Amino acid sequence: MIQFQDVTLRYPTGHEALHSISFTIPQGAFYFITGHSGAGKSSILRLIYRAVLPTKGDVTVAGYNVKQLSYKQLPFLRRKIGIVFQDYKLLYDRSVYDNVALALEVSGHPSGKIRARVKQILEYVGLSEQMGQNPMTLSGGEQQRAAIARAIVNQPDLIIADEPTGNLDKAMGRHIFALFDALHRQGSTILIVTHDIDLMTEMGHPHLSIVQGTLES
């Protein structure tokens, strides 16, 4: 599902975020990425959904070499990926319901299925009463849950999440990780960046440890 082969990432500023890292995450696996702030964790996620390109090496995701993708092909890759951004990236000119429904609308799902699925997923993340609200009226934790709902609503092949429980209390964090685990059991590949070592340890899934842009052995 995901393969990094001798990947180095250097930003235009000259900062080398990643240095010669290689790893493979098989289809259907559940992995965490850990490391201190600035270690390069978020850069790995950006390479996966091709927000940036590797300076050196190859990144392959769902059979696509990201360096070889044309802009016309890029949507086909991104439709396979559900992304939970650290800063949410919700649309503030739409309701919570519409934010979550958008992922299904662009995939061409029928309206009846969209309504049922969006209501189901918002209930699961505890936002059924807020579905008609503008995301700006929500707390940080509620916005995080809305972003998670949007990422997982169409049950993508791959779900990547950047600190998805960062603004949640322990109980809700455990609930959200249980949701990711349920999606994993249904066949989705899961990759989560987290600082929550306690919750990660409870889950019992393998992890990659990033130290100053390199993969700790």
Side-chain angles (χ1 to χ4, degrees):
M1 172 57 77
I2 302 170
Q3 185 175 47
F4 277 49
Q5 186 172 359
D6 196 25
V7 171
T8 293
L9 174 62
R10 187 176 298 107
Y11 287 105
T13 59
H15 171 62
E16 189 172 272
L18 299 169
H19 179 74
S20 193
I21 67 170
S22 298
F23 64 85
T24 298
I25 295 178
Q27 185 170 348
F30 190 135
Y31 270 73
F32 290 101
I33 301 178
T34 63
H36 295 297
S37 296
K41 306 182 301 297
S42 296
S43 291
I44 290 175
L45 300 190
R46 293 187 190 107
L47 285 163
I48 290 171
Y49 62 85
R50 220 196 85 155
V52 294
L53 290 172
T55 306
K56 176 187 173 186
D58 291 293
V59 176
T60 304
V61 181
Y64 295 97
N65 185 318
V66 299
K67 288 196 299 189
Q68 297 173 2
L69 279 177
S70 69
Y71 282 108
K72 287 185 178 179
Q73 293 174 309
L74 188 54
F76 293 102
L77 170 65
R78 290 186 175 168
R79 284 175 196 157
K80 296 176 179 288
I81 305 174
I83 308 169
V84 182
F85 296 98
Q86 198 168 10
D87 57 353
Y88 319 134
K89 296 194 186 299
L90 297 169
L91 301 174
Y92 295 114
D93 61 343
R94 300 169 184 244
S95 67
V96 171
Y97 175 95
D98 290 335
N99 267 270
V100 178
L102 183 62
L104 297 173
E105 290 168 358
V106 298
S107 299
H109 287 77
S111 58
K113 181 177 180 179
I114 291 173
R115 284 193 298 272
R117 178 62 180 163
V118 171
K119 289 179 180 179
Q120 178 189 42
I121 206 69
L122 286 175
E123 181 177 358
Y124 195 93
V125 300
L127 290 177
S128 56
E129 294 183 3
Q130 291 88 352
M131 70 172 65
Q133 292 180 216
N134 187 293
M136 291 182 69
T137 68
L138 304 182
S139 69
E142 288 170 336
Q143 289 190 46
Q144 182 75 296
R145 283 184 271 155
I148 291 168
R150 181 184 58 188
I152 66 177
V153 68
N154 63 350
Q155 297 177 289
D157 295 338
L158 170 63
I159 298 167
I160 59 177
D162 197 352
E163 297 288 354
T165 60
N167 291 312
L168 306 179
D169 62 33
K170 208 72 168 180
M172 183 52 70
R174 196 170 277 114
H175 183 71
I176 292 301
F177 272 11
L179 174 57
F180 284 128
D181 213 30
L183 291 164
H184 170 238
R185 290 195 300 273
Q186 293 169 20
S188 291
T189 304
I190 312 289
L191 181 61
I192 298 177
V193 166
T194 186
H195 279 107
D196 198 329
I197 303 302
D198 290 340
L199 275 179
M200 182 193 77
T201 302
E202 284 181 25
M203 297 289 289
H205 295 298
H207 74 279
L208 305 172
S209 179
I210 307 299
V211 179
Q212 295 181 331
T214 62
L215 188 62
E216 188 175 53
S217 58

